[in-house]
Amino acid sequence: MFRRILIANRGEIAQRIIRACRELGVETVAVYSEADADALYLRQADETICIGKAASAESYLDIPSIISAAEIADVDAIHPGYGFLAENAHFAEVCKSCQIGFIGPDPEVIASVGDKSRAREIAMAAKVPVVPGSPGAVKDDVEAARLAQEIGYPIMIKAASGGGGKGMRVASNEPSLKNQMRAAQNEAKAAFGDDTVYLEKFVERPRHVEVQILADNEGNVIHLGERDCSVQRRHQKLIEESPSAALTPKLRDKLGATAVRMAKAANYVNAGTVEFLLDKDNNFYFIEVNARIQVEHTVTEMVTGVDLIQEQIRIASGQPLRFKQKDIQLRGHAIECRINAEDPARNFQPSPGTLTAFVPPGGPGVRVDSHCYSGYRIPPNYDSMIGKLLVHRNTRDEAIRTMLRALDEFVIEGVASTIPLQREILKHADFKSGGHDTGFIERWFSSHGRENG
Ligand code: MV4
C-alpha cells in the first residue's frame, strides 16, 4: 500500500479522498489555490501546499506546480479526483516519468478512450453495441453526406474530443448536415483544439445509464451495477440513482457484462464508467468511457457497500481486486441530489458567496458529502457544487420520500441553491413513475416558459 498520496483536487472530492486515505492508513497531502486557503479539506489533510492563484490554469490545472508539490512532499502517488487533470493523458504520463503513481488508468488508455471515435472503434471490434453511425472519424462533408444517407436521418454529429455536450449537433437532412458539421468542427476546434468528428444516428428521448466498473492489474474486471443519470439540464446532472428504474434484472446483467467486455477490450485498469444510451424499446448503445471516478460514484457505494475510492487506491498500489462478480450484491435504492449554488429561477445563474447558515440533514438513510460549513465562502472561480445529498432506502418510493424529507431539513442560507427545483422534480409524476428520459427537464422548463428565467 502507498505510504502517502497527494490529492490534486479541491472541495468535496478532496475531502472524500482524505476520508478514504485515513481509513486505509495512508497519509494525505492536500494542495490548494489562494482562493481555497480557508477550505475545510485543508484541516483534514496531514500536510497542505499552496500551488498557485485562484484561476484553475494557475493552480489545479498547472502540472509543474502539482508535480513540484508531489516531489517536495515525497508522495508515492497522486489522486486526481474528477475534473481538472483527471482525464489528462499527458499528466498521467508526466506522473509516470517522475515515478509517481497515478491513481487511474494508464496514459495510453486515458488517451484511447478519451478519443470518442476511437472508443467507438474499440467497442465495435469487441461486439459491444454502438449507435449505428460512421465506422470511425469522418474526414469531410462529402463523406458525411454519403454515410448519413446509409445511416438515415436525423444524424448526430459528435466531436471525438467532446464532452459536456460541446461539439455536438443534430441534422435532419443533407443541407443541414453540411452546416451543422462545420458548426460542430468549429466548436470542437475552439474548445479542444481538435476538429475530428464522427456520426451517429440520433436516438430520440434516450435514458442515460452508466455502469460502474473496477479492474485490477491482473485482468480481473467486475461491474457494480448501473446509475441512471437521465435527470440533467444542459448536460449538468441534477439527480442520479441506482438501480435504474428502466432495467429488469436480466437487462442489468446484460448491460453489466457488456461494460466489462468494453473495459477489457480497452485494457482498462482502476475504477471507470461505461456510458450507454437506452432507447424507448430498451435497446442499449455504448457511447463513452469515463476514465475517472465520477461525482455520482456515491450512489453505487450506497447500493453495493463498496468504498470506490479505497478500491481505486488499492488497485493503483498493485493489489488485486478483493471482490468477484458474485460478491457484488445490489441492495435497496439510492438517490443523489447534486446541490449547486445556482439559482434555478434565474436560468441557473451561479450564486457564489458566503454560506451564512449551513445545516445538513441527517437521520436514517441519509449521507451528505460536502466540504461546506456555516460561514464558508464559496469562491466564484470553480464549479458551484455545495455538496451531494444521498439517501439509501429499501425501495425507490421510500428513497424519494426520504430525499424529500432530507431536502426539507437542509438549511442553506446566503446563496441560492438547486434544492427548490430538486424538490419539484421528486414530486413530478414523470420522475415518480420512473419513465422519464434525458429530455425531461428541458421539456418541463419550456412548457413552463422558464428556460430564460
Ligand atoms: C446522443 C444522443 C442521442 N443520440 N447520441 C450527450 C452528451 C454525450 N455524453 C452524449 N449525449 C447524447 N448523445 C445519439 N446518437 C443524446 C445525447 C444527449 C444526452 C445524453 C445523455 C444524457 C443527457 C443528454 C441530453 C441531451 C442529449
Side-chain angles (χ1 to χ4, degrees):
M1 178 47 68
F2 298 131
R3 180 183 52 85
R4 190 172 166 82
I5 75 165
L6 180 141
I7 299 149
N9 216 303
R10 63 178 298 281
E12 94 54 48
I13 192 64
Q15 170 177 258
R16 172 73 192 84
I17 296 163
I18 292 168
R19 285 174 168 158
C21 288
R22 291 197 80 89
E23 291 179 19
L24 286 171
V26 175
E27 292 173 12
T28 53
V29 179
V31 297
Y32 64 102
S33 75
E34 287 173 4
D36 280 333
D38 55 357
L40 189 57
Y41 71 89
L42 300 175
R43 300 186 212 183
Q44 298 161 339
D46 295 302
E47 191 178 330
T48 65
I49 302 178
C50 182
I51 50 164
K53 302 204 175 297
S56 303
E58 296 177 65
S59 51
Y60 301 107
L61 288 172
D62 186 45
I63 295 175
S65 295
I66 289 168
I67 295 292
S68 302
E71 298 283 11
I72 290 163
D74 189 27
V75 299
D76 303 316
I78 296 180
H79 196 308
Y82 50 69
F84 297 124
L85 298 170
E87 290 171 282
N88 185 317
H90 171 65
F91 178 61
E93 187 65 56
V94 173
C95 289
K96 198 178 192 175
S97 65
C98 296
Q99 291 175 308
I100 301 167
F102 177 80
I103 302 172
D106 281 342
E108 300 75 29
V109 175
I110 298 175
S112 72
V113 302
D115 177 338
K116 282 155 184 129
S117 173
R118 207 153 128 209
R120 223 178 107 81
E121 293 178 64
I122 294 169
M124 288 187 283
K127 297 205 156 55
V128 166
V130 297
V131 189
S134 56
V138 287
K139 64 174 195 296
D140 56 34
D141 57 5
V142 177
E143 187 189 9
R146 181 175 56 73
L147 285 165
Q149 199 66 256
E150 290 169 28
I151 301 160
Y153 287 93
I155 287 282
M156 197 157 210
I157 306 150
K158 293 185 174 183
S161 301
K166 276 226 177 72
M168 214 172 74
R169 287 285 192 288
V170 184
S172 302
N173 50 51
E174 195 168 309
S176 160
L177 181 74
K178 300 200 172 192
N179 286 327
Q180 298 297 359
M181 183 142 149
R182 194 168 314 112
Q185 285 171 320
N186 290 341
E187 196 172 309
K189 186 84 194 171
F192 316 112
D194 169 19
D195 64 3
T196 310
V197 296
Y198 61 102
L199 306 183
E200 283 180 358
K201 172 107 188 161
F202 178 66
V203 180
E204 314 258 3
R205 297 191 171 208
R207 293 178 74 114
H208 171 127
V209 180
E210 56 185 35
V211 178
Q212 178 68 53
I213 62 111
L214 282 175
D216 67 16
N217 289 286
E218 296 171 15
N220 302 303
V221 185
I222 59 168
H223 73 85
L224 294 96
E226 79 285 2
R227 297 183 287 261
D228 193 312
C229 309
S230 299
V231 182
Q232 311 201 354
R233 179 193 166 268
R234 301 194 185 164
H235 308 292
Q236 288 295 113
K237 293 168 184 164
L238 283 161
I239 297 178
E240 303 102 347
E241 61 183 308
S242 184
S244 169
L247 298 187
T248 58
K250 197 174 152 197
L251 196 52
R252 173 167 303 109
D253 287 347
K254 208 169 140 195
L255 196 69
T258 305
V260 167
R261 197 157 76 245
M262 181 62 196
K264 285 182 175 167
N267 294 317
Y268 199 94
V269 175
N270 213 284
T273 302
V274 186
E275 283 188 20
F276 297 90
L277 295 179
L278 189 70
D279 73 13
K280 58 183 184 315
D281 302 318
N282 277 355
N283 299 302
F284 61 81
Y285 309 97
F286 164 78
I287 50 168
E288 292 173 20
V289 173
N290 296 129
R292 62 169 189 279
I293 194 72
Q294 289 187 281
V295 174
E296 65 271 24
H297 74 276
T298 38
V299 298
T300 299
E301 292 186 323
M302 301 298 262
V303 295
T304 60
V306 174
D307 184 315
L308 289 169
I309 309 290
Q310 286 192 15
E311 296 313 320
Q312 282 195 289
I313 297 168
R314 287 194 172 95
I315 291 166
S317 77
Q319 297 180 22
L321 279 182
R322 305 181 306 149
F323 313 100
K324 301 223 177 304
Q325 190 62 56
K326 66 169 171 29
D327 300 325
I328 304 299
Q329 301 281 348
L330 305 182
R331 217 196 96 241
H333 197 99
I335 304 180
E336 170 174 280
C337 285
R338 281 194 202 189
I339 316 293
N340 286 323
E342 290 171 357
D343 191 346
R346 292 186 182 176
N347 197 29
F348 293 81
Q349 187 180 298
S351 176
T354 299
L355 288 163
T356 52
F358 179 80
V359 187
V366 175
R367 166 176 171 183
V368 178
D369 278 19
S370 173
H371 58 299
C372 293
Y373 54 88
S374 287
Y376 174 66
R377 182 178 153 271
I378 299 169
N381 315 80
Y382 314 106
D383 82 10
S384 62
M385 196 162 74
I386 297 172
K388 305 183 294 202
L389 169 57
L390 289 114
V391 299
H392 183 214
R393 283 320 217 182
N394 283 324
T395 66
R396 187 170 188 270
D397 285 345
E398 288 168 319
I400 291 172
R401 294 173 76 93
T402 301
M403 182 61 88
L404 282 166
R405 184 272 287 174
L407 287 169
D408 285 346
E409 262 181 43
F410 215 145
V411 178
I412 294 174
E413 288 171 9
V415 304
S417 89
T418 46
I419 286 179
L421 174 64
Q422 282 150 337
R423 294 186 54 202
E424 284 190 69
I425 296 168
L426 288 157
K427 289 190 275 187
H428 194 289
D430 291 357
F431 180 80
K432 285 203 285 185
S433 73
H436 60 289
D437 61 77
T438 51
F440 165 53
I441 299 290
E442 266 99 358
R443 279 197 303 277
W444 186 26
F445 270 54
S446 57
S447 74
H448 286 69
R450 284 173 60 173
E451 70 272 34
N452 292 310

